[in-house]
Amino acid sequence: MKTLRLILGDQLNIKHSWFKQPNDEIVYCLFEMRQETDYVVHHIQKVIGFFAAMRQFAKDLKVLNHGVIYFKINDANNTQNLIDNLKLLINDHSIQRFEYQQPDEYRLDIQLDTFCKTLSIESGIYSTEHFYTKIDDLAQFFKGKKQYLMENFYRDMRKKHDILMVANQPEGGIWNYDKSNRNKWKEDDMIPSYKYFENDVSDVLNDINKATIKTIGHFKAKTFAYPISRKQALEQLRFFCEELLIHFGDYQDAMHTSEAYLFHSRLSFAMNLKLISAKDVITTATNYYQKNKNLIDISQIEGFVRQIIGWREYMRGMYWARMPEFKKENALDNTNRLANFFWTGQTKMNCLKQSINNSLDNGYAHHIQRLMITGNYALLTQTNPDDIDAWYLGIYVDAIEWVQLPNTRGMSQFADGGKIATKPYVSSGSYIHKMSNYCDSCYYNNKKKTEEDACPFNSLYWNFLDDKRPFLENNFRMKMMYRVLDKMTPEDLHQIKYKAQHIINYQDEY
């Protein structure tokens, strides 16, 4: 039976059981499409990375003697639409059965499910064999519960998969070393030179330019630095274990003007394209830790494990448990526009300037820059979640909706009303000063609230708490801050709110 198997751009798992042995009756198809480049404005490096990794994957399949049909973005027979391309191949190649792997994006899941219902030939759906969990595991785990606490899910994952466990207890005696993961980097611990891959993507870039795909961000190099194959992803993982893991936990929340990546692994792009699996990453990192306990503290590896099997698997589960309503939620009724400087990086606020320009230059920012700088500012200025969603989904090379949406709309913007985060992740300038050196060279003073040179985060923070009092004052984690707010004199609060409103009205002057 002649079978067509679809591989999406984020399903590049060469270790998938599909590829164990070639079969002349099976042909695989991959498509570069305007459907995928145009639904949001993507970073130029994101489009380059996806196309380069897809092209490399097609080559790897051919080396293994698999039949492959690949449509590049400018190919004459490319309809630029997933369903139309599939129909074309099914007709042209007399296909008798169509198969695909479960998409990780809701829109593609619906699109392919609807398509299969129209087919007169057989069809089948398979697991991507990438995640620890199935898409409905988290929903089942929290069934009947009012809160979806990640910590509960994370501990269950540790037990279930025997990760950093000793006699069914957490290694080291405690589950979570988050309090040890909040150090400010002061250049005492040297960061090794980053591992860059010299992937020649000139042909990909030429094709993108010829197709006149609208993009954001910058690409000044001649080569793409992130892994685009399993081999490269494993090299990146090995580099992380040998050079960065030793201080990963210490500085995972730190930010610094001279370091874009600090001790972070830079594996998220490779993982989200499935070049390398979550189990690959966890097994390799924990094995390295076990062999090097004399050098690496438990707090370093636990912080990394928590990001992969706690945060990453949890966010995927939340995405599938709450879609499609999730995409429309706006519990705080925020409607303001996103500042123009999110697209240019031109602002006098140094923390935002550093984080946004890092994003524009590298298609990258680590989780604290995303959560407590750009996300914090967007929430304090009461930005419409739709706008910040589109920015986050486009700006980062690793951004795919299943991971971006719950992080943005849930954790960062509190638009789900507290399903993911137990309180809004907002702060004044004091937190930014505590975790970075951004304030040292900033035009604004992080200790001032209403003066001309006052840090905008300070007035915005107290204004936000006052504006959102009906939503938040009964939140047990916010009560202390509301007690502080209530001690302000009416005149002081008036001045703060006046300053904050001016910032919101004239964001691009700050």
Side-chain angles (χ1 to χ4, degrees):
M1 182 179 288
K2 190 74 171 177
T3 299
L4 178 69
R5 285 178 169 174
L6 170 68
I7 302 169
L8 296 172
D10 65 341
Q11 295 178 341
L12 309 184
N13 175 12
I14 201 70
K15 290 295 183 179
H16 195 280
S17 58
W18 269 6
F19 311 123
K20 282 185 177 178
Q21 58 186 37
N23 185 331
D24 291 341
E25 290 299 304
I26 296 174
V27 62
Y28 296 93
C29 62
L30 298 92
F31 309 128
E32 300 170 4
M33 298 176 292
R34 296 306 293 254
Q35 170 186 307
E36 297 305 298
T37 61
D38 295 2
Y39 69 89
V40 70
V41 182
H42 299 285
H43 198 292
I44 179 62
Q45 292 187 41
K46 182 181 180 183
V47 183
I48 289 171
F50 266 78
F51 284 7
M54 290 167 66
R55 293 182 185 189
Q56 181 61 50
F57 192 77
K59 289 178 185 176
D60 293 343
L61 286 181
K62 289 176 182 177
V63 168
L64 295 173
N65 295 314
H66 293 289
V68 180
I69 299 173
Y70 193 99
F71 284 1
K72 292 184 178 180
I73 191 68
N74 296 311
D75 285 352
N77 54 348
N78 187 348
T79 71
Q80 308 297 335
N81 176 272
L82 176 59
I83 302 307
D84 290 340
N85 279 346
L86 290 173
K87 287 178 179 177
L88 182 70
L89 296 188
I90 288 170
N91 289 331
D92 287 355
H93 296 270
S94 302
I95 298 298
Q96 298 166 288
R97 179 175 169 83
F98 169 64
E99 297 177 346
Y100 66 100
Q101 296 174 26
Q102 173 85 51
D104 283 305
E105 287 195 79
Y106 182 85
R107 65 184 176 87
L108 290 170
D109 187 54
I110 294 297
Q111 189 179 25
L112 285 166
D113 181 64
T114 303
F115 171 63
C116 286
K117 289 174 180 174
T118 69
L119 289 175
S120 57
I121 61 173
E122 293 181 15
S123 63
I125 183 169
Y126 294 78
S127 167
T128 59
E129 302 174 9
H130 172 81
F131 295 95
Y132 276 93
T133 53
K134 297 182 177 67
I135 61 172
D136 60 348
D137 281 358
L138 183 133
Q140 291 299 315
F141 180 78
F142 287 114
K143 191 173 183 178
K145 305 271 195 334
K146 290 184 178 180
Q147 281 196 311
Y148 303 84
L149 289 176
M150 189 194 78
E151 183 68 19
N152 294 344
F153 172 78
Y154 168 58
R155 294 183 184 188
D156 184 70
M157 289 285 287
R158 289 266 299 273
K159 292 176 187 176
K160 188 179 292 181
H161 299 285
D162 194 25
I163 299 169
L164 297 180
M165 300 294 295
V166 178
N168 208 36
Q169 294 298 315
E171 183 170 345
I174 60 176
W175 288 100
N176 189 314
Y177 288 84
D178 187 48
K179 291 181 180 178
S180 302
N181 301 155
R182 302 173 186 170
N183 297 330
K184 185 174 184 175
W185 186 66
K186 299 178 181 178
E187 304 181 57
D188 296 329
D189 295 309
M190 295 305 295
I191 301 170
S193 298
Y194 303 122
K195 186 173 186 64
Y196 292 105
F197 296 93
E198 296 185 356
N199 295 305
D200 184 356
V201 291
S202 52
D203 287 347
V204 174
L205 183 59
N206 288 338
D207 286 347
I208 291 170
N209 290 334
K210 184 179 178 182
T212 64
I213 295 169
K214 184 180 180 182
T215 61
I216 53 175
H218 312 132
F219 182 65
K220 299 173 183 176
K222 294 182 180 179
T223 55
F224 185 71
Y226 295 96
I228 61 168
S229 68
R230 177 176 173 81
K231 179 177 179 292
Q232 290 184 351
L234 290 171
E235 288 178 30
Q236 182 76 45
L237 174 58
R238 185 164 56 251
F239 177 80
F240 169 72
C241 291
E242 294 174 355
E243 304 290 342
L244 304 174
L245 180 57
I246 190 170
H247 291 303
F248 170 79
D250 293 334
Y251 305 115
Q252 76 179 76
D253 287 2
M255 298 169 285
H256 199 277
T257 51
S258 65
E259 294 291 340
Y261 306 110
L262 290 160
F263 292 90
H264 291 271
S265 71
R266 296 172 71 243
L267 279 166
S268 56
F269 174 75
M271 289 186 71
N272 290 354
L273 268 62
K274 302 183 181 63
L275 299 174
I276 189 170
S277 74
K279 193 168 186 177
D280 288 330
V281 172
I282 292 295
T283 301
T284 302
T286 54
N287 284 346
Y288 188 84
Y289 158 74
Q290 295 294 346
K291 293 174 183 176
N292 295 276
K293 285 186 178 182
N294 59 320
L295 297 173
I296 301 170
D297 189 79
I298 180 70
S299 64
Q300 315 298 337
I301 186 66
E302 187 280 322
F304 184 67
V305 165
R306 188 172 358 113
Q307 284 197 349
I308 306 299
I309 67 162
W311 169 80
R312 190 170 183 265
E313 298 274 338
Y314 169 82
M315 287 298 181
R316 175 175 177 256
M318 288 298 291
Y319 175 79
W320 284 105
R322 312 212 62 244
M323 284 295 282
E325 295 79 15
F326 205 173
K327 202 172 172 67
K328 300 174 183 177
E329 290 182 322
N330 188 1
L332 297 180
D333 292 335
N334 290 335
T335 58
N336 291 331
R337 67 170 181 86
L338 186 66
N340 290 330
F341 61 67
F342 271 74
W343 306 97
T344 66
Q346 296 174 6
T347 171
K348 289 182 287 186
M349 290 176 274
N350 195 38
C351 59
L352 282 160
K353 182 179 180 180
Q354 295 290 330
S355 299
I356 292 171
N357 278 296
N358 187 23
S359 304
L360 291 169
D361 290 342
N362 304 305
Y364 174 89
H366 73 65
H367 64 285
I368 293 299
Q369 291 171 315
R370 300 187 198 199
L371 182 65
M372 297 308 301
I373 304 296
T374 52
N376 184 15
Y377 179 84
L379 183 51
L380 292 179
T381 51
Q382 302 173 43
T383 301
N384 189 319
D386 291 346
D387 291 353
I388 193 70
D389 258 346
W391 187 77
Y392 275 120
L393 186 55
I395 196 74
Y396 297 117
V397 295
D398 61 11
I400 301 174
E401 191 181 75
W402 69 264
V403 68
Q404 171 273 317
L405 183 67
N407 270 284
T408 304
R409 199 160 287 247
M411 193 170 186
S412 171
Q413 300 303 296
F414 206 71
D416 66 349
K419 298 292 191 305
I420 287 177
T422 53
K423 75 173 186 67
Y425 278 87
V426 289
S427 77
S428 62
S430 60
Y431 173 84
I432 299 167
H433 177 64
K434 177 184 176 184
M435 295 308 303
S436 75
N437 71 337
Y438 291 159
C439 301
D440 299 349
S441 53
C442 187
Y443 171 84
Y444 297 105
N445 188 320
N446 68 288
K447 293 182 171 62
K448 296 181 180 180
K449 290 187 178 73
T450 58
E451 296 86 342
E452 190 275 334
D453 64 340
C455 172
F457 279 85
N458 292 336
S459 58
L460 288 170
Y461 176 75
W462 294 109
N463 176 71
F464 174 82
L465 292 187
D466 188 62
D467 281 358
K468 303 304 178 182
R469 183 185 286 270
F471 298 100
L472 302 174
E473 66 177 340
N474 292 322
N475 183 309
F476 75 99
R477 295 189 65 193
M478 301 292 290
K479 287 187 179 296
M480 183 180 76
M481 301 316 297
Y482 275 103
R483 285 196 292 270
V484 176
L485 179 64
D486 289 339
K487 290 178 182 177
M488 289 185 183
T489 66
E491 178 59 25
D492 285 346
L493 182 59
H494 173 75
Q495 292 296 326
I496 285 171
K497 291 184 71 65
Y498 181 83
K499 175 74 173 181
Q501 195 56 54
H502 188 273
I503 295 167
I504 291 170
N505 290 342
Y506 302 98
Q507 292 186 65
D508 291 297
E509 295 180 11
Y510 282 83

